[in-house]
Amino acid sequence: MFIDTHCHFDFPAFTNNLNESINRLRQANIAGLIIPAVSVTHYETILQLANEHEEIYAALGLHPIYQHTETDLQQLTQIIEESPNKLVAIGEIGLDRYNLTVDWQQQLTFFRSQLSLAKRFNLPVLIHSRKTHDVMYHELHQANLPCRGVIHGFSGSYQQAMQFIKLGYYIGVGGVISYTRANKTRNAIAKLPLESLVLETDAPDMPLSGQQGQINRPENIVEVFKILSQLRSEPSSQILNEILTNTLTLFNRINKIKF
Ligand SMILES: [Zn+2]
């Protein structure tokens, strides 16, 4: 049984053929999927998908590479206050120095505001960090969030991952590890404590190696898991169990709804 902790299932790649997309999820034994929002224009679709489909959960937030306004932040706050049934996290939020379409200072301001929301409402966060692991560590350390969160689509060194883990954060393992050239990340994921890992696809983005140019799908979580099992020394049944436990510990609202 798999839970995809980060899948943009609200994107047209899936919603254009929603019934088929849901059927494929079920056939692949995907018991849960968290949709992170990128901007307020997506909130309604995401909440509706979560309401209508048992395995879908919602995360709401303002993604760092898109422009947002103060009104967007107010709208986000208001929805979180209403505490929608299947809202399990705040995300996708973070910092991005690779894609500076949004001014750095503005990224920081929105990010910090959303960390405050996570603190106020006791929700975990889905973190996007690209070329920003140093400053991200500093920000998360300062914020001291009660529920912590996941460094999504982690790419980086063992030392960088361990810094986040020592703060209580989980590492989101995705398609990056299917690329043999991603040596540093593969070596890190092979050695990190198993109790700090969760799985994700980031579909429809981040295609696996050999599938470039194709739409990534949540069903590929099975493949990500297989590659993870090859990298790790533990038996795959143990990895599967521990990852599920990690996911339900971090996203404890899923646990309450589902089990
Ligand atoms: Zn994403």
Coordinates of all heavy atoms in Angstrom, one line a residue, residues 6-8 36 38 63 92 128 152 200 202 205, ligand 1:
H6 N 3.1 13.8 -2.6 CA 3.2 15.0 -3.4 C 2.9 14.7 -4.8 O 3.7 14.2 -5.6 CB 4.7 15.6 -3.2 CG 4.8 17.0 -3.7 ND1 5.1 18.0 -2.8 CD2 4.7 17.6 -4.9 CE1 5.2 19.1 -3.5 NE2 4.9 18.9 -4.7
C7 N 1.7 15.0 -5.2 CA 1.3 14.8 -6.6 C 0.3 15.9 -7.0 O -0.7 16.1 -6.4 CB 0.6 13.4 -6.7 SG -0.1 13.1 -8.3
H8 N 0.6 16.5 -8.1 CA -0.2 17.6 -8.6 C -1.4 17.1 -9.5 O -1.5 17.3 -10.7 CB 0.6 18.6 -9.4 CG 1.6 19.3 -8.6 ND1 1.4 20.4 -7.8 CD2 3.0 19.0 -8.4 CE1 2.5 20.7 -7.1 NE2 3.5 19.9 -7.5
P36 N -0.6 19.1 -3.4 CA -0.2 20.4 -3.0 C -0.7 21.4 -3.9 O -0.6 21.2 -5.1 CB 1.3 20.3 -3.0 CG 1.6 19.2 -3.9 CD 0.4 18.4 -4.2
V38 N -0.4 25.1 -5.9 CA 0.6 26.1 -6.3 C 0.1 27.5 -6.1 O 0.9 28.4 -5.9 CB 1.2 25.8 -7.7 CG1 1.9 24.5 -7.7 CG2 0.2 25.9 -8.8
H63 N 3.1 28.6 -3.8 CA 4.3 28.1 -4.3 C 5.3 29.3 -4.6 O 4.9 30.3 -5.1 CB 4.0 27.3 -5.6 CG 5.2 26.5 -6.1 ND1 6.3 27.1 -6.6 CD2 5.3 25.1 -6.1 CE1 7.1 26.1 -7.0 NE2 6.6 24.9 -6.7
E92 N 2.2 23.8 -1.5 CA 3.6 23.7 -1.5 C 4.2 25.1 -1.3 O 3.9 26.1 -2.0 CB 4.0 23.1 -2.9 CG 5.5 23.2 -3.2 CD 5.7 22.4 -4.5 OE1 4.8 21.8 -5.1 OE2 6.9 22.3 -4.9
H128 N 9.3 23.2 -0.7 CA 10.1 23.2 -2.0 C 11.4 24.0 -1.7 O 11.3 25.2 -1.3 CB 9.2 24.0 -3.0 CG 9.9 24.3 -4.3 ND1 9.6 23.6 -5.5 CD2 10.8 25.2 -4.6 CE1 10.3 24.2 -6.5 NE2 11.0 25.1 -6.0
H152 N 10.4 18.3 0.1 CA 9.9 17.5 -1.0 C 10.9 17.4 -2.2 O 11.7 18.3 -2.4 CB 8.6 18.2 -1.4 CG 8.5 18.6 -2.8 ND1 8.3 17.7 -3.8 CD2 8.5 19.8 -3.4 CE1 8.2 18.3 -5.0 NE2 8.4 19.6 -4.8
E200 N 7.2 10.1 -2.9 CA 6.4 11.0 -3.7 C 6.8 10.9 -5.1 O 7.8 10.3 -5.5 CB 6.7 12.4 -3.2 CG 8.2 12.8 -3.4 CD 8.4 14.3 -3.3 OE1 8.4 14.8 -2.2 OE2 8.6 14.9 -4.4
D202 N 5.7 13.8 -7.4 CA 5.6 15.2 -8.0 C 5.0 15.2 -9.4 O 5.2 16.1 -10.2 CB 7.0 15.9 -8.0 CG 6.9 17.4 -8.1 OD1 5.9 17.9 -7.7 OD2 8.0 18.0 -8.4
D205 N 5.2 16.3 -13.0 CA 6.6 16.7 -13.3 C 7.5 15.6 -12.9 O 7.0 14.6 -12.4 CB 6.9 18.0 -12.4 CG 6.0 19.1 -12.8 OD1 5.6 19.2 -14.0 OD2 5.7 19.9 -11.9
Ligands
ZN1 ZN 5.4 20.1 -6.6

